[in-house]
Amino acid sequence: MERRAGAVPVPSRWEYAPAPEATDLVRLEPRYGLFVGGEWVEPRSREWYQTINPAREEPLAEVAQAGGEDVRLAVEAARTALESHWSQLPGSERAKYLFRIARILQERSRELAVLESLNGGKPIRESRDVDLPLAAAHFFYHAGWADKLEYAFPNRRPRPVGVCGQIIPWNFPLLMLAWKVAPALACGNTVVLKPAETTPLTALLFCDVLRQAELPPGVVNIVTGDGRTGAELVRAEVDKVAFTGSTEVGKLIQRQLAGSGKRLTLELGGKAANIVFDDAPIDQAVEGIVNGIYFNQGHVCCAGSRLLVQESVADEVVAKLKRRMGRLRVGDPLDKNTDVGAINSAEQLRKIEALVESGKEEGAEIYQAPCRLPDRGYWFPPTLFTRVAQSYRIAQEEIFGPVLSVLTFRTPEEAVEKANNTPYGLSAGVWTDKGSRILWMAERLRAGVIWANTYNRFDPASPFGGYKESGFGREGGRHGLEPYLAFD
Ligand code: NDP
């Protein structure tokens, strides 16, 4: 065939070209107060702290550190809103507000996604394609339930529990807010929510969404601050506490609330097993393993942080995994090509480094993806450990970072035994060609969520929650409504 002159020249080298997301859509105030009774108020504590961009270690805004008096006033505002109108509104009216919030989240999703990545360090691809669509979906889903609670719980006369104190972590700031606020409001409760110290900004921008939706004042109140503010909220006159975070703090809260009559749900840590059998579609499984542990820098309570692979395919899986890890792009969270963003805080980075050190000292073999990390900010390369014994800390403790421990098994019985050999029980993954084996495994795995031939899939209609030290109570689905309702 004759070559045509003037055809587009074939490039000799493919250079990497970043595709940064613009940040001018986000307008940050230099300083944020507390959102109480539908108004921005100055903290009585007169304390402030700086929240930063972990990818650049640059300050973004000053945020209030709410004290005991601030929390008390927020709970009072929530109580007034509850008793004066919100709990008596017909479900169909509450639904309208939830629908409005969901639609505004969709309309403002780019702005919120950029802010989520700026303040938390997660790749824009994830905040844009996962966090924001799921947060809106949670409001849409619960809007649908608001006027159907009598059908969800027939003959049980469901009614609101009251004022809910909600405490959320830093790994999915806006999404965890949606998981907490949407069901509470759908069931006729009012809320005081405390975002995590390091990631308060999307919760504060969400207050603007609430105003735009004309949600009555006091129905949702946001108090920012560190763990001390959380502890004040647990102590305050709330009717229910909903907590997502570490098992350590979860236990503390449970002890604190024992005998108080306050309701409690806990969504805590995990050390999930992602189990690959020799008949699994290996390439697909490798994608699932990568998604399971490197999604959101591994800052995921249900992360597949223990890979259990059948001995006969272990070498093949690990070789393919290493090759795939080499293709992960680590860096600027606002670059649309980035797969792995920044670690959320200096403190979390130290924790990851210490646990990785312990893995080396205990005798595991480390592999880290070859990548150049930015000079500023908090970063950790995608990491893999082989030759891991079940007793090692990296196989037992939640690392909450991009670190995978690989263990092997020979029989399905051994896989179940090893998968369940953990104090946690939040999630698990099973990769196999046989449907019967998936069911056999699912019956025996002690985990709240089990994914089959996929990983990290979320849907507001599907209940999520743990066994053992991963907590109790469910979020999402009909099961997730129950903790927000009182019955006759
Ligand atoms: P925490 O459990 O401390 O944080 C969760 C939330 O609870 C935050 O809003 C936190 O505030 C608040 N809090 C802290 N102390 C108290 C208290 N005494 N009473 C009430 N609320 C409190 O988790 P960390 O951020 O310290 O992370 C530590 C480890 O926890 C991680 O390395 C990871 O292993 C695990 N973790 C698990 C999560 C999960 O989803 N299962 C989520 C986050 C962390 P503040 O942010 O100000 O500390």
Side-chain angles (χ1 to χ4, degrees), residues 31-58:
R31 195 183 238 202
Y32 288 88
L34 305 167
F35 190 70
V36 176
E39 302 289 337
W40 290 108
V41 299
E42 293 276 305
R44 299 268 172 118
S45 64
R46 294 178 188 280
E47 272 186 64
W48 309 84
Y49 70 91
Q50 225 163 37
T51 184
I52 65 159
N53 172 353
R56 305 179 65 87
E57 295 176 67
E58 280 170 1

PDB file of all heavy atoms in Angstrom, residues 31-58:
ATOM      1  N   ARG A  31     -12.072  31.872  56.823  1.00  0.00           N
ATOM      2  CA  ARG A  31     -12.363  31.322  58.143  1.00  0.00           C
ATOM      3  C   ARG A  31     -13.822  30.841  58.212  1.00  0.00           C
ATOM      4  O   ARG A  31     -14.700  31.504  57.672  1.00  0.00           O
ATOM      5  CB  ARG A  31     -12.177  32.446  59.160  1.00  0.00           C
ATOM      6  CG  ARG A  31     -12.084  31.989  60.567  1.00  0.00           C
ATOM      7  CD  ARG A  31     -11.975  33.199  61.465  1.00  0.00           C
ATOM      8  NE  ARG A  31     -10.763  33.112  62.250  1.00  0.00           N
ATOM      9  CZ  ARG A  31     -10.590  33.754  63.389  1.00  0.00           C
ATOM     10  NH1 ARG A  31     -11.512  34.574  63.840  1.00  0.00           N
ATOM     11  NH2 ARG A  31      -9.476  33.612  64.079  1.00  0.00           N
ATOM     12  N   TYR A  32     -14.031  29.692  58.843  1.00  0.00           N
ATOM     13  CA  TYR A  32     -15.390  29.154  58.961  1.00  0.00           C
ATOM     14  C   TYR A  32     -15.805  29.038  60.426  1.00  0.00           C
ATOM     15  O   TYR A  32     -15.041  28.526  61.257  1.00  0.00           O
ATOM     16  CB  TYR A  32     -15.485  27.762  58.343  1.00  0.00           C
ATOM     17  CG  TYR A  32     -15.424  27.792  56.835  1.00  0.00           C
ATOM     18  CD1 TYR A  32     -14.203  27.742  56.178  1.00  0.00           C
ATOM     19  CD2 TYR A  32     -16.582  27.888  56.070  1.00  0.00           C
ATOM     20  CE1 TYR A  32     -14.133  27.779  54.795  1.00  0.00           C
ATOM     21  CE2 TYR A  32     -16.536  27.935  54.683  1.00  0.00           C
ATOM     22  CZ  TYR A  32     -15.300  27.876  54.047  1.00  0.00           C
ATOM     23  OH  TYR A  32     -15.238  27.927  52.686  1.00  0.00           O
ATOM     24  N   GLY A  33     -17.020  29.500  60.726  1.00  0.00           N
ATOM     25  CA  GLY A  33     -17.584  29.299  62.061  1.00  0.00           C
ATOM     26  C   GLY A  33     -18.322  27.970  62.113  1.00  0.00           C
ATOM     27  O   GLY A  33     -18.072  27.070  61.296  1.00  0.00           O
ATOM     28  N   LEU A  34     -19.259  27.879  63.039  1.00  0.00           N
ATOM     29  CA  LEU A  34     -20.043  26.647  63.183  1.00  0.00           C
ATOM     30  C   LEU A  34     -21.412  26.883  62.552  1.00  0.00           C
ATOM     31  O   LEU A  34     -21.917  28.016  62.552  1.00  0.00           O
ATOM     32  CB  LEU A  34     -20.198  26.309  64.665  1.00  0.00           C
ATOM     33  CG  LEU A  34     -18.873  26.198  65.424  1.00  0.00           C
ATOM     34  CD1 LEU A  34     -19.113  26.178  66.921  1.00  0.00           C
ATOM     35  CD2 LEU A  34     -18.122  24.942  64.979  1.00  0.00           C
ATOM     36  N   PHE A  35     -22.029  25.816  62.029  1.00  0.00           N
ATOM     37  CA  PHE A  35     -23.347  25.959  61.398  1.00  0.00           C
ATOM     38  C   PHE A  35     -24.397  25.458  62.393  1.00  0.00           C
ATOM     39  O   PHE A  35     -24.575  24.259  62.577  1.00  0.00           O
ATOM     40  CB  PHE A  35     -23.382  25.151  60.095  1.00  0.00           C
ATOM     41  CG  PHE A  35     -24.604  25.422  59.269  1.00  0.00           C
ATOM     42  CD1 PHE A  35     -24.778  26.638  58.621  1.00  0.00           C
ATOM     43  CD2 PHE A  35     -25.582  24.454  59.133  1.00  0.00           C
ATOM     44  CE1 PHE A  35     -25.904  26.884  57.840  1.00  0.00           C
ATOM     45  CE2 PHE A  35     -26.708  24.690  58.352  1.00  0.00           C
ATOM     46  CZ  PHE A  35     -26.871  25.905  57.713  1.00  0.00           C
ATOM     47  N   VAL A  36     -25.034  26.400  63.042  1.00  0.00           N
ATOM     48  CA  VAL A  36     -25.973  26.056  64.121  1.00  0.00           C
ATOM     49  C   VAL A  36     -27.281  26.816  63.899  1.00  0.00           C
ATOM     50  O   VAL A  36     -27.263  28.032  63.695  1.00  0.00           O
ATOM     51  CB  VAL A  36     -25.381  26.420  65.507  1.00  0.00           C
ATOM     52  CG1 VAL A  36     -26.387  26.154  66.617  1.00  0.00           C
ATOM     53  CG2 VAL A  36     -24.095  25.654  65.748  1.00  0.00           C
ATOM     54  N   GLY A  37     -28.400  26.093  63.930  1.00  0.00           N
ATOM     55  CA  GLY A  37     -29.708  26.720  63.748  1.00  0.00           C
ATOM     56  C   GLY A  37     -29.815  27.447  62.414  1.00  0.00           C
ATOM     57  O   GLY A  37     -30.472  28.487  62.320  1.00  0.00           O
ATOM     58  N   GLY A  38     -29.171  26.934  61.400  1.00  0.00           N
ATOM     59  CA  GLY A  38     -29.255  27.525  60.061  1.00  0.00           C
ATOM     60  C   GLY A  38     -28.388  28.756  59.874  1.00  0.00           C
ATOM     61  O   GLY A  38     -28.454  29.404  58.832  1.00  0.00           O
ATOM     62  N   GLU A  39     -27.573  29.105  60.870  1.00  0.00           N
ATOM     63  CA  GLU A  39     -26.729  30.310  60.785  1.00  0.00           C
ATOM     64  C   GLU A  39     -25.266  29.941  61.019  1.00  0.00           C
ATOM     65  O   GLU A  39     -24.976  28.959  61.697  1.00  0.00           O
ATOM     66  CB  GLU A  39     -27.111  31.317  61.897  1.00  0.00           C
ATOM     67  CG  GLU A  39     -28.555  31.777  61.881  1.00  0.00           C
ATOM     68  CD  GLU A  39     -28.842  32.696  60.713  1.00  0.00           C
ATOM     69  OE1 GLU A  39     -27.878  33.304  60.191  1.00  0.00           O
ATOM     70  OE2 GLU A  39     -30.010  32.781  60.300  1.00  0.00           O
ATOM     71  N   TRP A  40     -24.375  30.782  60.500  1.00  0.00           N
ATOM     72  CA  TRP A  40     -22.955  30.648  60.838  1.00  0.00           C
ATOM     73  C   TRP A  40     -22.729  31.383  62.155  1.00  0.00           C
ATOM     74  O   TRP A  40     -23.079  32.560  62.269  1.00  0.00           O
ATOM     75  CB  TRP A  40     -22.077  31.277  59.756  1.00  0.00           C
ATOM     76  CG  TRP A  40     -22.115  30.488  58.491  1.00  0.00           C
ATOM     77  CD1 TRP A  40     -22.725  30.825  57.333  1.00  0.00           C
ATOM     78  CD2 TRP A  40     -21.515  29.193  58.279  1.00  0.00           C
ATOM     79  NE1 TRP A  40     -22.557  29.833  56.398  1.00  0.00           N
ATOM     80  CE2 TRP A  40     -21.823  28.823  56.950  1.00  0.00           C
ATOM     81  CE3 TRP A  40     -20.772  28.309  59.070  1.00  0.00           C
ATOM     82  CZ2 TRP A  40     -21.405  27.614  56.396  1.00  0.00           C
ATOM     83  CZ3 TRP A  40     -20.358  27.113  58.519  1.00  0.00           C
ATOM     84  CH2 TRP A  40     -20.665  26.768  57.199  1.00  0.00           C
ATOM     85  N   VAL A  41     -22.192  30.707  63.138  1.00  0.00           N
ATOM     86  CA  VAL A  41     -21.939  31.359  64.420  1.00  0.00           C
ATOM     87  C   VAL A  41     -20.461  31.237  64.805  1.00  0.00           C
ATOM     88  O   VAL A  41     -19.790  30.270  64.434  1.00  0.00           O
ATOM     89  CB  VAL A  41     -22.822  30.778  65.561  1.00  0.00           C
ATOM     90  CG1 VAL A  41     -24.299  30.969  65.256  1.00  0.00           C
ATOM     91  CG2 VAL A  41     -22.520  29.298  65.793  1.00  0.00           C
ATOM     92  N   GLU A  42     -19.985  32.217  65.525  1.00  0.00           N
ATOM     93  CA  GLU A  42     -18.613  32.193  66.035  1.00  0.00           C
ATOM     94  C   GLU A  42     -18.551  31.178  67.178  1.00  0.00           C
ATOM     95  O   GLU A  42     -19.495  31.087  67.973  1.00  0.00           O
ATOM     96  CB  GLU A  42     -18.253  33.563  66.620  1.00  0.00           C
ATOM     97  CG  GLU A  42     -18.171  34.666  65.610  1.00  0.00           C
ATOM     98  CD  GLU A  42     -16.814  34.709  64.931  1.00  0.00           C
ATOM     99  OE1 GLU A  42     -15.799  34.793  65.632  1.00  0.00           O
ATOM    100  OE2 GLU A  42     -16.794  34.647  63.686  1.00  0.00           O
ATOM    101  N   PRO A  43     -17.474  30.416  67.277  1.00  0.00           N
ATOM    102  CA  PRO A  43     -17.410  29.454  68.390  1.00  0.00           C
ATOM    103  C   PRO A  43     -17.241  30.167  69.733  1.00  0.00           C
ATOM    104  O   PRO A  43     -16.433  31.099  69.829  1.00  0.00           O
ATOM    105  CB  PRO A  43     -16.187  28.611  68.055  1.00  0.00           C
ATOM    106  CG  PRO A  43     -15.345  29.479  67.195  1.00  0.00           C
ATOM    107  CD  PRO A  43     -16.277  30.377  66.432  1.00  0.00           C
ATOM    108  N   ARG A  44     -18.018  29.741  70.722  1.00  0.00           N
ATOM    109  CA  ARG A  44     -17.841  30.315  72.065  1.00  0.00           C
ATOM    110  C   ARG A  44     -16.450  29.998  72.620  1.00  0.00           C
ATOM    111  O   ARG A  44     -15.911  30.700  73.438  1.00  0.00           O
ATOM    112  CB  ARG A  44     -18.878  29.710  73.027  1.00  0.00           C
ATOM    113  CG  ARG A  44     -20.313  29.988  72.627  1.00  0.00           C
ATOM    114  CD  ARG A  44     -20.802  31.254  73.297  1.00  0.00           C
ATOM    115  NE  ARG A  44     -22.096  31.625  72.763  1.00  0.00           N
ATOM    116  CZ  ARG A  44     -23.204  31.701  73.486  1.00  0.00           C
ATOM    117  NH1 ARG A  44     -23.180  31.420  74.777  1.00  0.00           N
ATOM    118  NH2 ARG A  44     -24.329  32.051  72.941  1.00  0.00           N
ATOM    119  N   SER A  45     -15.901  28.868  72.129  1.00  0.00           N
ATOM    120  CA  SER A  45     -14.578  28.445  72.611  1.00  0.00           C
ATOM    121  C   SER A  45     -13.488  29.444  72.212  1.00  0.00           C
ATOM    122  O   SER A  45     -12.411  29.453  72.799  1.00  0.00           O
ATOM    123  CB  SER A  45     -14.222  27.092  72.003  1.00  0.00           C
ATOM    124  OG  SER A  45     -14.105  27.225  70.603  1.00  0.00           O
ATOM    125  N   ARG A  46     -13.766  30.240  71.147  1.00  0.00           N
ATOM    126  CA  ARG A  46     -12.797  31.170  70.557  1.00  0.00           C
ATOM    127  C   ARG A  46     -11.527  30.454  70.078  1.00  0.00           C
ATOM    128  O   ARG A  46     -10.444  31.024  70.048  1.00  0.00           O
ATOM    129  CB  ARG A  46     -12.389  32.275  71.540  1.00  0.00           C
ATOM    130  CG  ARG A  46     -13.511  33.196  71.879  1.00  0.00           C
ATOM    131  CD  ARG A  46     -13.072  34.224  72.889  1.00  0.00           C
ATOM    132  NE  ARG A  46     -14.211  34.983  73.345  1.00  0.00           N
ATOM    133  CZ  ARG A  46     -14.761  35.981  72.685  1.00  0.00           C
ATOM    134  NH1 ARG A  46     -14.285  36.343  71.520  1.00  0.00           N
ATOM    135  NH2 ARG A  46     -15.798  36.627  73.179  1.00  0.00           N
ATOM    136  N   GLU A  47     -11.677  29.192  69.746  1.00  0.00           N
ATOM    137  CA  GLU A  47     -10.507  28.434  69.266  1.00  0.00           C
ATOM    138  C   GLU A  47     -10.668  28.124  67.781  1.00  0.00           C
ATOM    139  O   GLU A  47     -11.779  27.804  67.331  1.00  0.00           O
ATOM    140  CB  GLU A  47     -10.401  27.118  70.025  1.00  0.00           C
ATOM    141  CG  GLU A  47      -9.615  27.205  71.311  1.00  0.00           C
ATOM    142  CD  GLU A  47      -9.451  25.822  71.907  1.00  0.00           C
ATOM    143  OE1 GLU A  47      -8.805  24.971  71.289  1.00  0.00           O
ATOM    144  OE2 GLU A  47     -10.003  25.606  73.006  1.00  0.00           O
ATOM    145  N   TRP A  48      -9.572  28.150  67.051  1.00  0.00           N
ATOM    146  CA  TRP A  48      -9.572  27.877  65.621  1.00  0.00           C
ATOM    147  C   TRP A  48      -8.376  27.002  65.299  1.00  0.00           C
ATOM    148  O   TRP A  48      -7.406  26.973  66.039  1.00  0.00           O
ATOM    149  CB  TRP A  48      -9.460  29.183  64.819  1.00  0.00           C
ATOM    150  CG  TRP A  48     -10.446  30.222  65.224  1.00  0.00           C
ATOM    151  CD1 TRP A  48     -10.339  31.103  66.250  1.00  0.00           C
ATOM    152  CD2 TRP A  48     -11.720  30.469  64.633  1.00  0.00           C
ATOM    153  NE1 TRP A  48     -11.454  31.894  66.336  1.00  0.00           N
ATOM    154  CE2 TRP A  48     -12.325  31.530  65.336  1.00  0.00           C
ATOM    155  CE3 TRP A  48     -12.404  29.907  63.551  1.00  0.00           C
ATOM    156  CZ2 TRP A  48     -13.569  32.027  65.021  1.00  0.00           C
ATOM    157  CZ3 TRP A  48     -13.643  30.411  63.225  1.00  0.00           C
ATOM    158  CH2 TRP A  48     -14.223  31.459  63.961  1.00  0.00           C
ATOM    159  N   TYR A  49      -8.466  26.327  64.195  1.00  0.00           N
ATOM    160  CA  TYR A  49      -7.277  25.623  63.703  1.00  0.00           C
ATOM    161  C   TYR A  49      -7.263  25.698  62.175  1.00  0.00           C
ATOM    162  O   TYR A  49      -8.276  26.053  61.560  1.00  0.00           O
ATOM    163  CB  TYR A  49      -7.248  24.168  64.196  1.00  0.00           C
ATOM    164  CG  TYR A  49      -8.293  23.271  63.572  1.00  0.00           C
ATOM    165  CD1 TYR A  49      -8.017  22.549  62.416  1.00  0.00           C
ATOM    166  CD2 TYR A  49      -9.550  23.142  64.131  1.00  0.00           C
ATOM    167  CE1 TYR A  49      -8.967  21.721  61.840  1.00  0.00           C
ATOM    168  CE2 TYR A  49     -10.513  22.327  63.557  1.00  0.00           C
ATOM    169  CZ  TYR A  49     -10.219  21.618  62.411  1.00  0.00           C
ATOM    170  OH  TYR A  49     -11.171  20.813  61.826  1.00  0.00           O
ATOM    171  N   GLN A  50      -6.091  25.356  61.622  1.00  0.00           N
ATOM    172  CA  GLN A  50      -5.948  25.455  60.182  1.00  0.00           C
ATOM    173  C   GLN A  50      -6.163  24.099  59.530  1.00  0.00           C
ATOM    174  O   GLN A  50      -5.638  23.104  60.016  1.00  0.00           O
ATOM    175  CB  GLN A  50      -4.543  25.943  59.873  1.00  0.00           C
ATOM    176  CG  GLN A  50      -4.535  26.999  58.838  1.00  0.00           C
ATOM    177  CD  GLN A  50      -3.231  27.742  58.852  1.00  0.00           C
ATOM    178  OE1 GLN A  50      -2.180  27.140  59.074  1.00  0.00           O
ATOM    179  NE2 GLN A  50      -3.280  29.031  58.596  1.00  0.00           N
ATOM    180  N   THR A  51      -6.945  24.079  58.444  1.00  0.00           N
ATOM    181  CA  THR A  51      -7.055  22.825  57.695  1.00  0.00           C
ATOM    182  C   THR A  51      -6.236  22.988  56.414  1.00  0.00           C
ATOM    183  O   THR A  51      -6.190  24.064  55.826  1.00  0.00           O
ATOM    184  CB  THR A  51      -8.519  22.453  57.409  1.00  0.00           C
ATOM    185  OG1 THR A  51      -8.547  21.177  56.756  1.00  0.00           O
ATOM    186  CG2 THR A  51      -9.256  23.469  56.550  1.00  0.00           C
ATOM    187  N   ILE A  52      -5.553  21.900  56.017  1.00  0.00           N
ATOM    188  CA  ILE A  52      -4.566  22.025  54.939  1.00  0.00           C
ATOM    189  C   ILE A  52      -4.879  21.127  53.743  1.00  0.00           C
ATOM    190  O   ILE A  52      -5.750  20.256  53.807  1.00  0.00           O
ATOM    191  CB  ILE A  52      -3.140  21.714  55.444  1.00  0.00           C
ATOM    192  CG1 ILE A  52      -3.053  20.237  55.864  1.00  0.00           C
ATOM    193  CG2 ILE A  52      -2.740  22.623  56.590  1.00  0.00           C
ATOM    194  CD1 ILE A  52      -1.647  19.699  55.885  1.00  0.00           C
ATOM    195  N   ASN A  53      -4.134  21.355  52.679  1.00  0.00           N
ATOM    196  CA  ASN A  53      -4.140  20.469  51.524  1.00  0.00           C
ATOM    197  C   ASN A  53      -2.974  19.485  51.737  1.00  0.00           C
ATOM    198  O   ASN A  53      -1.813  19.886  51.683  1.00  0.00           O
ATOM    199  CB  ASN A  53      -3.932  21.336  50.270  1.00  0.00           C
ATOM    200  CG  ASN A  53      -3.723  20.500  49.026  1.00  0.00           C
ATOM    201  OD1 ASN A  53      -3.595  19.279  49.093  1.00  0.00           O
ATOM    202  ND2 ASN A  53      -3.690  21.170  47.886  1.00  0.00           N
ATOM    203  N   PRO A  54      -3.262  18.204  51.977  1.00  0.00           N
ATOM    204  CA  PRO A  54      -2.177  17.273  52.315  1.00  0.00           C
ATOM    205  C   PRO A  54      -1.240  16.988  51.155  1.00  0.00           C
ATOM    206  O   PRO A  54      -0.136  16.489  51.364  1.00  0.00           O
ATOM    207  CB  PRO A  54      -2.918  16.002  52.736  1.00  0.00           C
ATOM    208  CG  PRO A  54      -4.246  16.092  52.079  1.00  0.00           C
ATOM    209  CD  PRO A  54      -4.571  17.544  51.953  1.00  0.00           C
ATOM    210  N   ALA A  55      -1.651  17.316  49.927  1.00  0.00           N
ATOM    211  CA  ALA A  55      -0.783  17.062  48.776  1.00  0.00           C
ATOM    212  C   ALA A  55       0.296  18.127  48.641  1.00  0.00           C
ATOM    213  O   ALA A  55       1.296  17.924  47.978  1.00  0.00           O
ATOM    214  CB  ALA A  55      -1.615  17.002  47.489  1.00  0.00           C
ATOM    215  N   ARG A  56       0.075  19.292  49.277  1.00  0.00           N
ATOM    216  CA  ARG A  56       1.047  20.377  49.147  1.00  0.00           C
ATOM    217  C   ARG A  56       1.465  20.965  50.493  1.00  0.00           C
ATOM    218  O   ARG A  56       2.290  21.857  50.552  1.00  0.00           O
ATOM    219  CB  ARG A  56       0.459  21.495  48.274  1.00  0.00           C
ATOM    220  CG  ARG A  56      -0.018  20.983  46.916  1.00  0.00           C
ATOM    221  CD  ARG A  56      -0.608  22.101  46.101  1.00  0.00           C
ATOM    222  NE  ARG A  56       0.396  23.077  45.774  1.00  0.00           N
ATOM    223  CZ  ARG A  56       1.196  23.019  44.719  1.00  0.00           C
ATOM    224  NH1 ARG A  56       1.077  22.027  43.891  1.00  0.00           N
ATOM    225  NH2 ARG A  56       2.080  23.943  44.483  1.00  0.00           N
ATOM    226  N   GLU A  57       0.846  20.469  51.546  1.00  0.00           N
ATOM    227  CA  GLU A  57       1.087  20.986  52.904  1.00  0.00           C
ATOM    228  C   GLU A  57       0.841  22.492  52.961  1.00  0.00           C
ATOM    229  O   GLU A  57       1.597  23.223  53.607  1.00  0.00           O
ATOM    230  CB  GLU A  57       2.503  20.662  53.377  1.00  0.00           C
ATOM    231  CG  GLU A  57       2.747  19.175  53.549  1.00  0.00           C
ATOM    232  CD  GLU A  57       4.179  18.873  53.935  1.00  0.00           C
ATOM    233  OE1 GLU A  57       4.571  19.249  55.052  1.00  0.00           O
ATOM    234  OE2 GLU A  57       4.897  18.267  53.126  1.00  0.00           O
ATOM    235  N   GLU A  58      -0.202  22.937  52.267  1.00  0.00           N
ATOM    236  CA  GLU A  58      -0.537  24.365  52.262  1.00  0.00           C
ATOM    237  C   GLU A  58      -1.857  24.581  52.968  1.00  0.00           C
ATOM    238  O   GLU A  58      -2.790  23.787  52.793  1.00  0.00           O
ATOM    239  CB  GLU A  58      -0.688  24.857  50.811  1.00  0.00           C
ATOM    240  CG  GLU A  58       0.611  25.143  50.138  1.00  0.00           C
ATOM    241  CD  GLU A  58       0.450  25.384  48.648  1.00  0.00           C
ATOM    242  OE1 GLU A  58      -0.686  25.341  48.150  1.00  0.00           O
ATOM    243  OE2 GLU A  58       1.491  25.592  47.999  1.00  0.00           O
TER     244      GLU A  58
END
